[in-house]
Structures are given as C-alpha cells and as structure tokens.
Amino acid sequence: MRERVLSGMRPTGKMHLGHLHGALENWRDFQDTYECYFFIADWHALTSEYSDPHIIKESICDMIIDWLSVGINPEKSTIFIQSKILEHAELHLILSMITPLSWLERNPTYKEQLQEITNRDLSTYGFLGYPVLQAADIIMYKANKVPVGIDQLPHLELTREIVRRFNFLYGEVFPEPDAILTQTPKLLGVDGRKMSKSYQNSIYLSDSPKELKEKIGQMFTDPQRVKRHDPGDPSVCNIFTLQKIYNIPGAVEEIAKQCRLAGIGCVECKTILTELLIRDLTPIQEKRDYYVSHVDEVQEILRRGIRNAQKVAQATMEEVRKAVRID
Ligand code: TRP
Ligand code: SF4
C-alpha cells in the first residue's frame, strides 16, 4: 500500500506564483509516489473570516480550477472540500475533549496571529481550536505525510501530540503523521513585500501577458542600482529570484555576472523574465480556460472527490466511535 499524503489550503482566491512554487508543484510531484488527498479548508477560513464569509465560497471554484490547471490530477488524487465531509466536525469535537488548553495557548502560530491580525476579533473558541480541526483533517485519512510551509510546523507537532494522546487513551487507531517541509523560494510581491493576496501585490497564474508585463515592470530591483551603469547585486533582487525559477542555469549565471558588471540593464532583465513567465504560464492558462468553460466537469471532479473522501472518513469514524465507546 502506498503511503498517504494530505494537504489543504484555505480558500483565499486565485492562486499566485507563491502558491505554485511553494505548494502546488510539490503536490503535483507527490502524486506519482503517494496516494494523495488535497482539500479546500473552508471551515478553517471561517475561523478568521466569520464576519464576512462570502469570499470563502467565491474562492473555491477558482482555486480548484487553478489546482487542476497546474496538474493536480483527479485520476490520481482525491480533491475535496472540507465542509462537505461532516465527519471532520465530529472528529474535531472528539479531539477537542482530549486536547489540553495549554497545548493550544502556547502554540506560536496562534500567538503570532493574535498579535498581527488586528482588524478582526480572533479571541474565539474556534480560532483557538484551529489546530485541533487541522489534526482532524489529517488523521481522518490516516495521512503519513503532510506537506506544509514552515509556519505550519507547530500545527503538525500538535497533531502528533494529539495522536499520541488519542492512541494512549483509546488504543492504536492513528499513525503519527510526518511533516514534509516544502522548500519555498522567497517570492516577493510587486511592492517588495511577501507575495500575498491581502497586500494586492501578487502575480496570479491567470495574469494575461499584458498584466505580467506591467507587474514585472513595476517590481523593485536592487535598490542600490539607480542608473543603468551602476553595478547591481542579484542576491538582493526579486527579479533575480524569479530568474532562478524560470530561466535555465547557464543563463541565470550569466545574468548574475552581467548584473554585477552593469552589462545588463534591469529593463532588459525584466523583458527576458516576462517572456519566460508568459511561456510557462501559457499552457497553465490554456487548461484554465478549458475548465472555466467546462465548469460542469469541475463539479463532477469535486463530486467524485467528495464521495471518495466520505468513504474513508466514514470508515475512520466508525473505528473512532468504537475506540471511544460512543458507538
Ligand atoms: N492551516 C493550513 C494553512 O493555513 C491549512 C490546512 C488546514 C491544512 N488543514 C490542513 C494543511 C491539513 C495541511 C493539512 O496553510
Ligand atoms: Fe535585478 Fe536583473 Fe536588475 Fe540585476 S539586472 S538588479 S538581477 S533586475
């Protein structure tokens, strides 16, 4: 039996380059080795968007279409929506009985977000329990591997602790999942801050050639490089980070060298990058256009994924109910 990989994303809208290189490319590659489950964590989104939830639903279709367009393959993977599998809520409830408050209160991600996010009230029971719901998502499918970014590692550790406690109290039901730390290139947005939907600085997979030209054109380069004949430092330049992703190794080295010698200008460097981006995104966008005009196919893919996930979830919950003797 192949090991299981599971990962999820909160529905925040169209996918940008950060999602592609930080998560989706890894997901795509895992499909060849693992039995994969990928889902939209809409209940997790609700923990912070509860007062204005319309964005959640609007995002789901866009996201699924983006996933399919980059090669998440419904023949290989189970693609589903968290809230369609009510068993997640039941497991969350049961896990909440055995999770000490102190484990949740000391969670660094929780403490950080409480501090950083000031435009909404996150002092809720649901938000504190975010990682308990995440644990339910993961162990419902008895996932062995969970690809996540570094910010999610504390949640994975909590999942492992909850699993140990569950197994100790009720018998060995769940495997302890391992995190697969996905190597994320540090992609900055058009304004030099982290690429994020909330900063409106993202380059989307669906951006047209015109939008790509404009956005790349606006991007900061080496701030020390004011005039064309000033030498540049590629290591501090966001355009260069993208060159490393999109250009071939020899050409990347040559650009770095010429940048330091002021042999290449930023305008030219950006033009090269834009062409490469257009080349790479075009096939993704062609698939995207296909799915946008065949939304019924997308719905059918989701229905199949949900059915598949439900089967696994129902079987797990039968085991869980027996184990905790609420059956
Ligand atoms: N918390 C994750 C994030 O913000 C999303 C998520 C929810 C998730 N449930 C999960 C990721 C289970 C991996 C496994 O990125
Ligand atoms: Fe950045 Fe390219 Fe300009 Fe060098 S030449 S500073 S790598 S954009």
Side-chain angles (χ1 to χ4, degrees):
M1 256 208 4
R2 289 196 298 172
E3 283 200 306
R4 281 189 186 163
V5 155
L6 171 138
S7 198
M9 264 187 218
R10 278 171 299 172
T12 49
K14 289 186 295 184
M15 301 280 92
H16 55 57
L17 296 185
H19 296 117
L20 177 61
H21 303 297
L24 294 175
E25 285 183 334
N26 291 305
W27 290 14
R28 184 182 61 203
D29 298 343
F30 288 136
Q31 297 180 118
D32 297 327
T33 323
Y34 298 100
E35 187 185 334
C36 291
Y37 292 78
F38 300 122
F39 72 99
I40 306 259
D42 53 348
W43 277 335
H44 276 107
L46 201 57
T47 63
S48 52
E49 308 304 317
Y50 58 85
S51 62
D52 195 11
H54 69 272
I55 172 83
I56 298 177
K57 190 145 199 175
E58 285 164 17
S59 301
I60 291 178
C61 197
D62 262 334
M63 276 178 76
I64 300 273
I65 287 180
D66 279 334
W67 292 5
L68 296 171
S69 306
V70 301
I72 304 302
N73 182 345
E75 303 300 322
K76 296 181 179 170
S77 302
T78 298
I79 303 169
F80 65 99
I81 300 171
Q82 181 188 39
S83 67
K84 298 285 182 236
I85 316 291
L86 296 177
E87 285 79 3
H88 287 228
E90 185 182 356
L91 187 53
H92 169 243
L93 178 85
I94 291 176
L95 298 182
S96 76
M97 306 301 170
I98 65 167
T99 306
L101 262 185
S102 58
W103 292 5
L104 300 175
E105 285 165 344
R106 71 169 189 229
N107 167 16
T109 311
Y110 174 71
K111 290 199 284 193
E112 249 168 56
Q113 298 212 333
L114 267 193
Q115 293 243 305
E116 269 170 33
I117 302 175
T118 49
N119 58 351
R120 12 179 153 343
D121 183 2
L122 293 180
S123 53
T124 61
Y125 173 55
F127 190 69
L128 180 67
Y130 185 111
V132 184
L133 181 57
Q134 184 160 346
D137 299 337
I138 295 168
I139 69 179
M140 183 69 85
Y141 304 91
K142 302 193 178 177
N144 310 96
K145 302 267 190 279
V146 183
V148 285
I150 193 157
D151 62 310
Q152 295 292 311
L153 284 183
H155 292 168
L156 251 290
E157 201 40 53
L158 250 160
T159 300
R160 295 162 59 86
E161 284 175 301
I162 293 173
V163 163
R164 287 196 286 269
R165 193 162 163 91
F166 186 100
N167 290 345
F168 170 76
L169 290 167
Y170 307 119
E172 287 289 322
V173 174
F174 295 112
E176 266 182 56
D178 293 316
I180 303 181
L181 186 57
T182 48
Q183 288 307 330
T184 324
K186 212 171 159 41
L187 278 192
L188 302 179
V190 174
D191 59 357
R193 294 191 285 176
K194 181 184 155 79
M195 195 177 286
S196 158
K197 173 164 175 102
S198 44
Y199 295 149
Q200 300 189 328
N201 64 357
S202 302
I203 297 177
Y204 291 102
L205 303 188
S206 56
D207 279 348
S208 66
K210 182 163 166 286
E211 285 168 306
L212 291 172
K213 277 192 196 111
E214 279 169 14
K215 289 185 179 178
I216 302 280
Q218 285 168 24
M219 276 171 101
F220 292 119
T221 63
D222 173 3
Q224 303 293 324
R225 200 175 182 201
V226 184
K227 299 220 177 65
R228 168 66 182 82
H229 59 258
D230 293 336
D233 178 2
S235 69
V236 300
C237 177
N238 195 22
I239 297 289
F240 190 69
T241 311
L242 290 168
Q243 288 282 11
K244 282 189 284 191
I245 298 175
Y246 289 96
N247 216 332
I248 52 172
V252 173
E253 274 163 39
E254 188 57 26
I255 286 173
K257 187 170 143 211
Q258 291 305 325
C259 173
R260 290 196 185 92
L261 296 169
I264 182 175
C266 294
V267 174
E268 189 190 339
C269 186
K270 286 177 166 183
T271 306
I272 296 169
L273 175 67
T274 308
E275 292 305 316
L276 293 169
L277 253 175
I278 294 172
R279 188 199 62 192
D280 275 29
L281 291 185
T282 298
I284 295 176
Q285 295 180 353
E286 283 168 1
K287 281 185 85 176
R288 190 169 212 291
D289 293 342
Y290 172 84
Y291 286 114
V292 168
S293 53
H294 294 79
V295 174
D296 47 332
E297 241 175 81
V298 179
Q299 296 300 347
E300 180 51 33
I301 287 169
L302 266 177
R303 266 196 296 276
R304 273 207 327 259
I306 289 167
R307 222 180 299 134
N308 214 358
Q310 244 156 14
K311 260 190 243 152
V312 180
Q314 281 164 3
T316 301
M317 284 317 294
E318 273 184 31
E319 245 182 294
V320 168
R321 291 183 207 116
K322 275 210 184 74
V324 300
R325 293 169 189 85
I326 305 273
D327 57 341

